Amino acid sequence: METWLSSLITATPQEGYDLAVKLSRVAVKLTQPDPAVRERVRPEYADNGDALIAISHVVAVNFATVAAANDYWRSAGDELPR
Amino acid sequence: METWLSSLITATPQEGYDLAVKLSRVAVKLTQPDPAVRERVRPEYADNGDALIAISHVVAVNFATVAAANDYWRSAGDELPR
Amino acid sequence: METWLSSLITATPQEGYDLAVKLSRVAVKLTQPDPAVRERVRPEYADNGDALIAISHVVAVNFATVAAANDYWRSAGDELPR
Amino acid sequence: METWLSSLITATPQEGYDLAVKLSRVAVKLTQPDPAVRERVRPEYADNGDALIAISHVVAVNFATVAAANDYWRSAGDELPR
Amino acid sequence: METWLSSLITATPQEGYDLAVKLSRVAVKLTQPDPAVRERVRPEYADNGDALIAISHVVAVNFATVAAANDYWRSAGDELPR
Amino acid sequence: METWLSSLITATPQEGYDLAVKLSRVAVKLTQPDPAVRERVRPEYADNGDALIAISHVVAVNFATVAAANDYWRSAGDELPR
């Protein structure tokens, strides 16, 4: 597999969220490498409330990791008292 | 997509909770961009006990991230002995 | 919505646990604001083993957050060697 | 409710695990306060593989919290190089 | 119950993983103490894809705890710049 | 079982992700040691949207552990202000 993840550091929280989405999708690709099968099962989850919630859950777990990696994008300006 | 997440820092825990709800919803939108489909599946979860619990779970994971980002909104006044 | 979450700091672990239960419930209210519907789906989970376990899971995630916020209610008296 | 949780600190990891089990059970009691109903649904999960795994998951989440509270019961003797 | 958990510290990551598996199994035993019933439900999960994934999830949560307890088995040799 | 996990430290985030996938698979092997059964249940999850999401969830939990172990692969070059 080509390089798809060279760093967890992103410029903004939103880019970090996009990375979390990507991290969530790659595991699916590694388990089911056939794009035709992935396309076939897509409606199973994209049109299904439970599956959409489950996807959101995975993104949340990955976002926690990316956010921690970026020290929560706390800039010097809004640094919290610790 | 327009900018929807510029910071994880919020003024209060309750605003942090609202942000956690928002983080939970955006993953759904990214997976199912069609608002008509999202509206159609909404009763599947809004009227279903299991789905409501699952949503609460995702919010809990995102709230953990937001709370950590804000150092749990510990003000100087209620700083804990560490 | 009125203010319902002004702090994650509680006096005791048990009050922290109660707060975790509250955090778990609010996400349900925000997703399904109609109290009549919430009341109707309640037996779906209150009388169902799987749902009771799922609720306990959500409370556990929120309790982790509240406990961290309170530095685990470690008093000076039982401070651990670090 | 009487006091059932006065501290997250335990003498040993095993007592911490027992506390994690207790934390997992209390959420069930708070959601379904009727002991007769709880007894009735018990076979649903105690004799069911999926439910037993789900319970183990909740205990794992609570154990993470209790273990962190106790700084993982690292004694001076087995302190790790940091 | 006899002593089965005296420390979270292990010599290697692999022993830590084995401990995570053990932690995952004990909750099942505490909920369903009858070994005959546990044996009866075993095929429900050992031959079932969803259940195998669910078990792997519980092990992952416990492994996170054990890994943190061991400071991720970072030896002086591969200490990271912090 | 032979040595399969000697360190959580990896050179890059992507190798860390691969390790997370491996960690997720080993628990399955330990629960169902028969490769013939594992092969038989494989289509249950590789062709099933819900199962693919569940696998991605487990990988996410393990990736969080591996990422923390590696201090998120923060190189001196992109060290964040703390």
Side-chain angles (χ1 to χ4, degrees), chain E residues 3-39:
Chain E
T3 298
W4 61 272
L5 181 63
S6 54
S7 173
L8 294 180
I9 306 305
T10 68
T12 67
Q14 188 164 330
E15 287 177 30
Y17 193 89
D18 291 340
L19 177 55
V21 172
K22 184 181 183 181
L23 287 164
S24 306
R25 287 179 179 162
V26 171
V28 172
K29 285 190 195 174
L30 291 173
T31 308
Q32 181 44 269
D34 185 339
V37 176
R38 289 203 307 270
E39 205 48 44

Side-chain angles (χ1 to χ4, degrees), chain B residues 51-65:
Chain B
L52 289 169
I53 298 166
I55 288 167
S56 179
H57 199 152
V58 182
V59 172
V61 174
N62 279 316
F63 185 62
T65 303

Side-chain angles (χ1 to χ4, degrees), chain C residues 17 56-57 59-61 63-64 67 72 74, chain D residues 8-25 55-74, chain E residues 4-9 16 19-27 30 58-70:
Chain C
Y17 193 90
S56 179
H57 199 152
V59 172
V61 175
F63 185 62
Y72 305 100
R74 285 180 196 136
Chain D
L8 295 180
I9 306 304
T10 68
T12 67
Q14 187 164 330
E15 286 177 30
Y17 193 89
D18 291 340
L19 177 55
V21 172
K22 185 180 182 181
L23 287 164
S24 306
R25 287 179 179 162
I55 287 168
S56 179
H57 199 151
V58 182
V59 172
V61 175
N62 278 316
F63 185 62
T65 304
V66 175
N70 287 278
D71 207 18
Y72 305 101
W73 300 276
R74 286 180 195 135
Chain E
W4 61 272
L5 181 63
S6 54
S7 173
L8 294 180
I9 306 305
L19 177 55
V21 172
K22 184 181 183 181
L23 287 164
S24 306
R25 287 179 179 162
V26 171
L30 291 173
V58 182
V59 173
V61 175
N62 279 315
F63 185 62
T65 303
V66 176
N70 286 278

Side-chain angles (χ1 to χ4, degrees), chain B residues 53, chain C residues 17 21 25 39 41-56 59, chain D residues 1 23-45:
Chain B
I53 298 166
Chain C
Y17 193 90
V21 171
R25 287 179 179 162
E39 205 49 44
V41 303
R42 198 181 147 75
E44 281 181 38
Y45 55 85
D47 302 352
N48 178 277
D50 289 344
L52 288 169
I53 298 166
I55 287 168
S56 179
V59 172
Chain D
M1 203 176 193
L23 287 164
S24 306
R25 287 179 179 162
V26 170
V28 172
K29 284 190 198 175
L30 290 173
T31 309
Q32 181 44 269
D34 184 341
V37 177
R38 290 202 307 269
E39 205 49 44
R40 179 154 45 81
V41 302
R42 199 181 145 74
E44 280 180 38
Y45 56 84

Side-chain angles (χ1 to χ4, degrees), chain F:
Chain F
M1 204 176 193
E2 80 282 21
T3 298
W4 62 272
L5 182 62
S6 54
S7 172
L8 295 179
I9 307 304
T10 68
T12 67
Q14 188 164 330
E15 287 177 29
Y17 193 90
D18 291 341
L19 177 55
V21 172
K22 184 181 183 181
L23 288 164
S24 306
R25 287 179 179 162
V26 170
V28 172
K29 286 190 195 174
L30 291 172
T31 308
Q32 180 45 269
D34 185 340
V37 176
R38 289 204 305 271
E39 204 49 44
R40 178 153 45 82
V41 302
R42 198 181 146 75
E44 279 180 40
Y45 57 84
D47 302 353
N48 179 278
D50 289 344
L52 289 169
I53 298 166
I55 288 167
S56 179
H57 199 152
V58 182
V59 172
V61 175
N62 279 315
F63 185 63
T65 303
V66 175
N70 287 278
D71 207 17
Y72 305 100
W73 301 277
R74 284 178 196 139
S75 67
D78 55 22
E79 188 90 35
L80 295 165
R82 317 185 76 170

Side-chain angles (χ1 to χ4, degrees), chain B residues 80-82, chain C residues 70-82, chain D residues 7 9-10 68-71 74:
Chain B
L80 294 165
R82 317 185 76 172
Chain C
N70 287 278
D71 206 17
Y72 305 100
W73 300 276
R74 285 180 196 136
S75 67
D78 55 22
E79 189 88 35
L80 295 164
R82 317 186 76 171
Chain D
S7 172
I9 306 304
T10 68
N70 287 278
D71 207 18
R74 286 180 195 135

